[in-house]
Amino acid sequence: MDQAAKGAAALNSKEFSAAVSHYTDAIAVHSEAVDYYIKRSTAYTRISPPDHQAALSDAEIALSLASKRGKRELIIQAQLRRAIALFGNERYGDSRQCFEWVQQMDDKEKSLKIWEMKLEAKLKGMGEEDEKATVTVKQYPDVEVPVAQLAEKKVSSTAAEKVKPTASTAEQATAPAGVQTPASKIRHEWYQTHDTVVVSLFAKGVPKDTATIEMQERSLAISFPLATGSDYDFSLDPLFGKIDAPGSTAKVMSTKVEFTLKKKPAGEMWPNLESHMPVPDLTTESAPEEIKRAVLAEQSTNSGPSYPTSSKSGPKDWDKVASELTRKAKKDTKEGEAGGDDGVDDDFEGGDPVNGFFQSLYSRADPDTRRAMMKSYQESNGTALSTNWSEVGKGKVETQPPEGMEAKRW
């Protein structure tokens, strides 16, 4: 278990001193991980006695980093921690202002009502000129802290001796060793299972020690230094669906970085990796009608799967073919042109039209066509279907996964 995971476990079990220690060690390695500062700020607020000044410092660093990356969810969390820390420092006017900024970005934040009542009680009877009631904060603080200082901030003297970089180690951190994929050639692919979404970022030579990875409920981001001296940033925000961030994993390998995102809930199939807008729970009455219509419209525009084919004329939309045959068969039956044959129409009743079409095609095919269909489907693991025995009979039919997916041996 890494230091961040230990910190999260300590925070959940209310061991706040241990949480501060673990997150401090995690920040020493990943000095720009926004979530680590937010969590350590929370721990500082709840430790006994609370260290509100340290909590405020962490919250403002987190807010500055999140705003530079444009991460809305992290900006809201950091601003909320900042408002709470300001309240603890008895800067009630500044605290109220920060809570208002949180409300502007997320008016459904459950804790706002409680803090509003607390602030009313504190500000009651204070004049506008009272120092505690004045507003001095900016929405986004001017926090300029070098990476080296971020790594050493609030680290105990013993830990500081372990992580304090020397001139040689600092040079090594900014110049990753080994062959590295140029930024212009880095690409990503994804596929999904019943429970997970697996995203592969194909980049050689990603430095494990200096790569910063953040996974939230609706976003994924990674940043790491390149041999050129610049940083490479990759993010998916927002993801099409929700994920269980603590239950998701990231693995840095020699040729790629693989993210295994745990779906929440499991079983939901994603037509796309990213979404143009948050996906609300359409089963609740709270979702606005315009959002429901927009999401349903987005989902309805997604085309059906493209099946690999050996045809020189390109892939066919079998869903469309099946639907057209269904309409034709029904029309023929109504007009009395169809005999007593078990037509395509019968196969569609109460079942999948595509499966019904293929069953009908197979039942009416000659022996060579049937052999071609069986051989191509079985040898390709269900990813290809051919009716041309003269081509299929020449050799093994290779697996041809749909675009955006990767075939793996099990």
Side-chain angles (χ1 to χ4, degrees), residues 155-175:
V155 182
S156 65
S157 58
T158 303
E161 292 175 0
K162 296 179 181 178
V163 300
K164 187 174 181 180
T166 62
S168 59
T169 57
E171 291 175 2
Q172 292 173 3
T174 57

Side-chain angles (χ1 to χ4, degrees), residues 319-369:
D319 293 328
K320 183 178 179 181
V321 173
S323 297
E324 289 177 351
L325 286 175
T326 304
R327 289 194 296 271
K328 183 177 183 303
K330 287 184 177 180
K331 181 179 178 181
D332 292 344
T333 301
K334 289 180 180 179
E335 294 177 356
E337 298 176 3
D341 185 19
D342 293 331
V344 176
D345 183 47
D346 292 337
D347 292 323
F348 293 158
E349 294 299 330
D352 182 3
V354 178
N355 287 338
F357 165 69
F358 285 129
Q359 290 171 9
S360 176
L361 180 65
Y362 183 84
S363 66
R364 298 175 182 179
D366 57 59
D368 282 346
T369 300

Side-chain angles (χ1 to χ4, degrees), residues 87 92 95-96 99 115-123:
F87 184 92
Y92 304 122
S95 178
R96 180 169 59 183
F99 278 121
W115 286 106
E116 184 180 349
M117 291 187 291
K118 289 185 177 182
L119 282 166
E120 285 181 1
K122 293 292 185 181
L123 292 169

